[in-house]
Amino acid sequence: MVASPAAIAELTAAAGAAPPASPPAGLELLPGGARQAPWPRLREELQIHPAGVNVDGSPVWHLSDPVRNLFYRIGWLEFEILTRWEMGDPARIAAAVAEDTTLQPIDEDVLQFAAFLRHNQLVQETRPKPPVRFAHWLLHNYLSIRIPLVRPAKVLQRALPWLQWLFSGWFFGLTAAAASIGLVLSARQWDAVMANLHGALSWDGIVGYLGALIFSKLLHECGHALVATRNGVRVGHMGVALLVLWPMAYTDTGESWKLERSRRRLAIASAGILTELMLAAWSTFFWVFAPEGNFKNALFFLATTAWVLTLTVNASPFMRFDGYFILADALDFPGLHERAGHWGKRFMRKRLMGIEDPVAEVLPRHYQRFLTAFAIATWIYRLILFFGIALVVYHKFFKALGLFLFMVEISVFIVRPVRSEMRVWWARRAEIRRGHLAGWLLILVGGAAVLAVPWSTRIVAPGVLRAGVEQPVYSPYAARLDKVDIRNGAAVGDEQVLLELDAPRQAEERDKASALAQAYARSARGAVGIDDSGAARQMLADQYAGRYEAERRAREAELLRLKLAALHGGTVRDVDPTLQPGSWVSATTRIAMLVGGDHWRVEALVRERDRQRLAKGEPARVYVRGRYDAPLAGCIVDIDDSAATRLPHLLLAQPNGGPIPLNPTVPKDQLKPADTWYRVIVEGRSDRPVEQVEAVSVHFQGERSSIGGKWLDSALSVLIQQSGT
């Protein structure tokens, strides 16, 4: 059924109401002498469609505006008011509705509905629309801009008979079987799946995923359009929507509200997700059996893109994506976000401030609880999402503009709704119960005290724990291993020989120098008393003998260096497993590591603000990650004056599971931190020796500081650093 304002008289007669009176001319006097504006006329092109029933069983209708392609869901009372609209008087309309139905409206109900019609531009008024500046429009709409590209209604009508098999039961059953087989066989070759995922982390993989994303989203929108056409809904246009300047395909199925049965609207809303799930099912199935090559890679991209994005993005009911419309149509509850928001605000105002809002609509108790919980979940989800969008916008542009857009996002989508609700609380402050007000004042005072009072002395810093004494075992120069007696975990004593190496060339040179020294010494002795030149020969031979003797001693000293001994007692660690007797080692090859003693050393990293609160000699407690025994007790022995340009160990780097992010503009192997950190050296002794490098958390007791001051310093530091000034 479609009704226009011209047919309201017929609707009125069908309802048994009195004939409408002519609208009053000019102004009417209200009680008290106030004047009322002329009764507005409804726009002629408006239409009314039956829309089923509400949760409570009352009938509902859709009041449509075909010019703007909008519709409004109205209830029984609003419909009865519309059928008597031409009476032109709120009191007469209310009285007529009360006389002809079981409803009991008052004049204020009619006036509120008239204000609703005026606000939504559904009446004939000559009020000019205020101009909107382009900058203001862009600021509020750059998150979502729609660009229509095609009008596919005729093409869809022609293609529908050829695609009816897509809606058959046998095809759905076959698709479910393909999905089950594909997922089971993919799980059995999970190593191949992970290998493909790692291989996709390349430029070719990014291009492949981008192509798969475009293809799957086009099929997604075609699914909406085809199901809408099958249910008799005209698809006005299809195009591209820019979400935070990111292009996404969209389909205009706005006329689906004309469908009286919510199940048919549900079919249209869920068609996109079902299309992508079907694509994922068949892509997974064929990927399992396809031969290696580009075709199999394309199937992998399609399968992973369709499975992941469909289930994580489109299925979410907290934004106006497919999941929201699916949930709204499944419940037959249009305006789910707005109506849930009213219940959420009512719950929040009552619990936090004691303000009692009237019930906006009569709903069962379980519906009220569901809508309240849904509203709170939506607020939390949107808070996280909008903050994430703000970060994306910040990183997408250069620093100054990115910071400006970040602040715009936060202020428009997070601060403004909170400020709007706070204004309502302030306007209704007289309704706030004294107990709630006193409780909140106490919480505010306590929170301010916690933030402002400098009570915190605790400083927690990441670090690495090493043995206090470490001796790496290296060969002094290229040499050959005679035998390898050391092993991991072996205990050694002070000055114990660990390894003996051999340098054949050094030994040969030593023996050669020894022989020459002896020969020249004999020559010097034989030159005495030969003739007048004997003294000169003796002197020359002595010189050469001394020279080669010095060389022999030097060679001997070099060979003695090949006896690698422990400087202190300890435990052998990290023995090179590739070394065997007869192997040659260079001077850069670490053969083993000797650690020992009860002395340990920690290199911790602290922020600049925390560094100023520390002093040498202050105590520290060291907690080893993954160990729950008593912490190690030590003290600060040194604090660096300059910021660290390299992390003390790989364990602290975020790519290796550590807490400190690396500078993205520098190669990762340089271990340059992204932020400013200062090194603090902590030393101590323990009963158990430290046998390996371990990640630790160091707790210091520094000068007192406030939490609020720490947050303020951090925020100012980020603003100054990231603004590029």
Side-chain angles (χ1 to χ4, degrees), residues 303-325:
T304 52
T305 302
W307 282 121
V308 175
L309 291 182
T310 298
L311 296 177
T312 58
V313 177
N314 290 97
S316 171
F318 302 117
M319 297 295 292
R320 287 187 177 272
F321 295 135
D322 290 349
Y324 165 75
F325 295 104

Side-chain angles (χ1 to χ4, degrees), residues 91 121-122 125 195 246 248 258 296 323 356 378 386 404 432 483 497 546 601-602 606 638 646 679:
Q121 305 175 24
L122 299 175
E125 287 187 329
W246 180 264
M248 297 182 66
K258 293 180 179 179
K296 186 166 186 173
E356 289 283 355
T378 301
F386 288 143
F404 169 74
I432 299 176
K483 56 182 179 179
V497 176
R601 175 188 177 96
V602 169
V606 299
D638 193 19
R646 182 183 176 87
R679 193 179 64 152

Side-chain angles (χ1 to χ4, degrees), residues 170-429:
W170 64 265
F171 178 71
F172 278 96
L174 197 61
T175 302
S180 301
I181 295 172
L183 290 174
V184 170
L185 295 180
S186 298
R188 297 187 64 179
Q189 48 180 322
W190 190 248
D191 54 343
V193 175
M194 297 305 298
N196 277 271
L197 286 175
H198 287 298
L201 299 178
S202 63
W203 285 112
D204 293 338
I206 293 174
V207 172
Y209 272 118
L210 184 59
L213 179 63
I214 294 174
F215 181 74
S216 64
K217 291 307 173 184
L218 288 178
L219 283 185
H220 178 107
E221 300 304 327
C222 289
H224 283 305
L226 192 63
V227 175
T229 304
R230 187 169 184 264
N231 284 277
V233 175
R234 183 181 66 88
V235 178
H237 50 80
M238 301 174 70
V240 175
L242 301 179
L243 298 180
V244 197
L245 305 180
W246 180 264
M248 297 182 66
Y250 80 93
T251 301
D252 176 24
T253 58
E255 293 189 8
S256 61
W257 57 266
K258 293 180 179 179
L259 300 173
E260 184 174 352
R261 298 178 60 185
S262 62
R263 293 181 60 184
R264 299 173 69 184
R265 296 194 297 270
L266 175 61
I268 297 175
S270 58
I273 289 181
L274 290 177
T275 300
E276 285 200 75
L277 291 178
M278 289 180 181
L279 174 65
W282 287 106
S283 298
T284 306
F285 177 80
F286 286 118
W287 176 81
V288 172
F289 299 101
E292 295 294 334
N294 293 331
F295 179 67
K296 186 166 186 173
N297 293 335
L299 290 174
F300 183 81
F301 291 142
L302 286 175
T304 52
T305 302
W307 282 121
V308 175
L309 291 182
T310 298
L311 296 177
T312 58
V313 177
N314 290 97
S316 171
F318 302 117
M319 297 295 292
R320 287 187 177 272
F321 295 135
D322 290 349
Y324 165 75
F325 295 104
I326 290 173
L327 181 60
D329 290 329
L331 299 174
D332 193 17
F333 204 81
L336 178 59
H337 279 166
E338 292 78 8
R339 296 164 75 178
H342 289 307
W343 285 100
K345 291 178 181 178
R346 183 176 183 273
F347 172 82
M348 183 174 59
R349 291 168 184 172
K350 180 178 180 180
R351 295 297 180 184
L352 299 183
M353 291 289 140
I355 299 176
E356 289 283 355
D357 275 351
V359 176
E361 52 185 328
V362 179
L363 293 172
R365 183 63 61 88
H366 68 278
Y367 253 79
Q368 298 178 17
R369 290 195 293 263
F370 165 74
L371 292 177
T372 302
F374 181 76
I376 295 173
T378 301
W379 293 338
I380 296 174
Y381 177 88
R382 290 188 175 184
L383 175 65
I384 298 173
L385 178 65
F386 288 143
F387 189 78
I389 291 176
L391 292 178
V392 170
V393 170
Y394 166 73
H395 287 290
K396 198 169 184 180
F397 300 94
F398 61 89
K399 295 298 184 183
L401 179 59
L403 183 62
F404 169 74
L405 293 178
F406 176 86
M407 298 304 297
V408 169
E409 291 291 324
I410 296 298
S411 62
V412 171
F413 295 102
I414 297 178
V415 176
R416 188 172 66 174
V418 174
R419 184 179 60 185
S420 176
E421 182 63 21
M422 295 299 291
R423 286 178 176 175
V424 174
W425 292 2
W426 177 254
R428 302 177 62 180
R429 59 188 179 275

Side-chain angles (χ1 to χ4, degrees), residues 663-696:
N663 192 323
T665 63
V666 177
K668 292 183 179 179
D669 57 356
Q670 295 188 18
L671 297 180
K672 183 175 182 179
D675 301 320
T676 303
W677 297 86
Y678 289 83
R679 193 179 64 152
V680 178
I681 306 300
V682 178
E683 293 184 357
R685 295 182 179 276
S686 64
D687 297 335
R688 185 173 59 181
V690 177
E691 298 179 349
Q692 62 184 1
V693 178
E694 295 184 272
V696 297

